[in-house]
Amino acid sequence: MTVSTADPGTTTGSALLGDSGSLHRVVEDLAGGVRTIQPVRDALADRELASALSSWNSAPGDPDLFVASLFPEPAQVSHVPFLPKERLLSPREKSAAAEAFARVLESCEFTSGSAVTAFEDAVADLSGMNCAVATGSGTDALVLALRAVGVEPGDEVILPANSFAATENAVFACGAVPVLADVTTPDGNLDPVSVAEHVTPRTVAVLPVHLYGKLADTAGLRAVADRYALRIVEDACQAIGVTGVGRYSDAAALSFNPYKNVGLCGKAGAVVTDSAEIAERCRVAGYHGFEPGRKNVKCEAFGLNARIDNTMAAIGLALLPWTGLRGLRRTYLARRYVEALRPLAEEGVLETPAFAPAHSWHLFPVLVDGGAPARDALRDELALRSRVETDVYYPVLTHRQQTPVRERFFGQARLPRTEWLHDRVLHLPLHAGLSLGEQDRVVEALHAATRPGR
């Protein structure tokens, strides 16, 4: 995008990188009716974003019209679904994915091929990291990253209890012991102070989760890790594109599950790191312990079959161009929720997250005053009266799962802030295919359910 001259209704500055910080800036400009005229970097992940902003800047008009073009209304629906499967990909994205699969089908390079390396290069560029190792899933990425930083059987890894099961399972897969620390409120991310309290001579690593896409206090965690000579692996599976991911850690794990912000047509993930040594260890451990570049020749005793297939990598290359644009949509919707729900927040009925730049807005959580009974009643009210579907991520905390190892590993867990948040959190619909009309319906339903008679 070429920049000429600016006028009073425009802002200029450094190039847009397509990361969460840049998208936050664009959304603030849009909300203020200000045209952002900045070059978008020439990168695969930002191509559709660059095209959209270029069209907007070359055709002066009402900012509301541009915003409306980003959020086409779906066909008439009788309810607002939380995350409709048929809208995981746009029609153009579906076509691009189908064309990529057709090319792989013609070549029959299903498992190995040139798309893998190209996809890894694009993911490294997207993440701002030196290296990316693409994997078969986000869980695979977590396991490989933990192994690569030295986690071995019997070691302890500190993590939060309010994450998807893959986080703890990755630790178990290494033969290590998950140790639960408490979180900060209201973001629900791992608390560096609590982490320090749980360090023992057996602790080797810290595994923070960027919950719902909000960057954890990685600088604070790095200070703790340095104090005790620990490694950090970030579970960034909900935080693709977030500014700062990987900055203070040894490695970060990403997920391209279809339900994530950048979703493919099956399971996939990646380890991103600035360390060539860690990347090499991930490659070896991720493909049967084989020496890179030598077919079926092992250099390690053990390895997994965890690398991405060429088929999924090819589809990933076809879908990555929408990454920045999808992020822009999510960020705009998040800001719109925060503003529309401000009256309820000011009355203490709900607490909304702060509209912050270090956030992918994978999910939009609100905290409901009154705890679980009030939260569950509100959820039922929204579903029955307004036909608005909400959800709770994740319904059972790690230390409350009724598994055979519960008492052995988690029986002594004391996590008051984690439990307090978990009893209050409710997730509202937010995805790249959500329309403004649907969002309005969610907001209206919340106001009606929490402020009856007004």
Side-chain angles (χ1 to χ4, degrees):
M1 182 165 56
T2 302
V3 180
S4 55
T5 58
D7 60 57
T10 66
T11 63
T12 59
S14 58
L16 293 171
L17 303 178
D19 62 341
S20 65
S22 294
L23 297 177
H24 182 273
R25 195 166 18 135
V26 173
V27 167
E28 290 284 30
D29 285 345
L30 280 173
V34 177
R35 190 185 305 276
T36 302
I37 301 182
Q38 294 173 252
V40 176
R41 70 175 188 142
D42 184 15
L44 181 65
D46 299 328
R47 286 183 183 171
E48 291 297 324
L49 174 66
S51 176
L53 292 180
S54 179
S55 297
W56 162 234
N57 288 324
S58 63
D62 186 346
D64 290 341
L65 295 179
F66 171 66
V67 170
S69 72
L70 297 176
F71 301 96
E73 292 291 333
Q76 187 67 30
V77 292
S78 58
H79 71 295
V80 180
F82 184 77
L83 181 57
K85 293 180 180 179
E86 65 275 12
R87 280 191 267 163
L88 288 174
L89 297 174
S90 68
R92 289 182 60 211
E93 289 172 304
K94 291 176 183 177
S95 295
E99 291 170 5
F101 178 72
R103 290 192 295 270
V104 174
L105 193 62
E106 184 64 26
S107 70
C108 290
E109 292 184 326
F110 299 116
T111 57
S112 300
S114 60
V116 173
T117 300
F119 181 69
E120 289 179 334
D121 289 344
V123 171
D125 179 64
L126 165 65
S127 304
M129 308 295 285
N130 290 334
C131 309
V133 179
T135 62
S137 69
T139 307
D140 286 339
L142 285 168
V143 174
L144 294 181
L146 288 169
R147 285 171 55 92
V149 302
V151 174
E152 296 180 348
D155 290 339
E156 292 180 351
V157 178
I158 300 175
L159 65 154
N162 56 345
S163 181
F164 183 59
T167 309
E168 68 194 76
N169 285 343
V171 177
F172 281 129
C174 294
V177 178
V179 174
L180 303 179
D182 214 346
V183 300
T184 54
T185 56
D187 64 3
N189 281 324
L190 204 55
D191 178 15
V193 174
S194 183
V195 168
E197 293 170 348
H198 287 80
V199 174
T200 76
R202 294 171 58 193
T203 306
V204 171
V206 182
L207 182 54
V209 178
H210 303 309
L211 191 67
Y212 314 142
K214 171 65 171 62
L215 191 73
D217 181 7
T218 49
L221 293 169
R222 181 77 266 169
V224 174
D226 288 345
R227 190 187 319 158
Y228 296 101
L230 307 177
R231 310 303 290 271
I232 297 179
V233 171
E234 298 175 47
D235 182 339
C237 290
Q238 299 180 348
I240 291 177
V242 172
T243 308
V245 165
R247 182 175 298 166
Y248 295 103
S249 68
D250 297 283
L254 309 179
S255 172
F256 298 97
N257 181 287
Y259 295 98
K260 293 296 192 293
N261 289 32
V262 184
L264 307 188
C265 298
K267 295 184 184 297
V271 178
V272 292
T273 177
D274 278 333
S275 168
E277 181 181 358
I278 288 176
E280 186 79 349
R281 290 176 187 167
C282 289
R283 293 189 196 284
V284 172
Y287 192 46
H288 296 293
F290 291 150
E291 184 177 338
R294 300 189 67 189
K295 186 175 181 179
N296 296 341
V297 177
K298 294 182 70 174
C299 61
E300 292 290 344
F302 173 77
L304 303 170
N305 185 14
R307 68 176 184 176
I308 195 173
D309 284 335
N310 192 63
T311 303
M312 199 55 61
I315 292 173
L317 287 169
L319 294 177
L320 275 181
W322 279 270
T323 299
L325 185 59
R326 292 169 68 89
L328 180 66
R329 290 174 179 147
R330 285 179 175 272
T331 305
Y332 189 88
L333 289 167
R335 188 188 189 282
R336 204 164 179 263
Y337 263 141
V338 171
E339 292 303 315
L341 297 176
R342 190 177 300 280
L344 299 183
E346 291 174 346
E347 293 172 16
V349 177
L350 297 176
E351 183 172 356
T352 60
F355 183 61
H359 208 313
S360 72
W361 301 107
H362 174 61
L363 294 169
F364 190 89
V366 295
L367 300 178
V368 181
D369 183 46
R375 186 268 313 278
D376 295 343
L378 175 59
R379 187 180 180 193
D380 291 343
E381 175 79 2
L382 294 172
L384 294 174
R385 177 171 293 187
S386 302
R387 305 204 67 189
V388 168
E389 185 179 1
T390 57
D391 209 337
V392 175
Y393 281 66
Y394 297 94
V396 183
L397 295 170
T398 295
H399 64 301
R400 290 175 172 173
Q401 296 279 6
Q402 299 301 312
T403 68
V405 300
R406 178 175 180 267
E407 284 303 315
R408 177 184 172 190
F409 290 115
F410 310 125
Q412 302 303 313
R414 297 294 180 267
L415 308 169
R417 292 188 298 276
T418 302
E419 293 169 1
W420 183 89
L421 284 168
H422 183 261
D423 289 343
R424 288 161 175 77
V425 72
L426 181 67
H427 294 94
L428 308 183
L430 193 155
H431 53 86
L434 185 72
S435 72
L436 300 183
E438 287 175 308
Q439 187 180 37
D440 288 341
R441 183 167 167 179
V442 174
V443 170
E444 291 166 3
L446 277 167
H447 277 268
T450 57
R451 307 168 82 193
R454 293 198 181 187

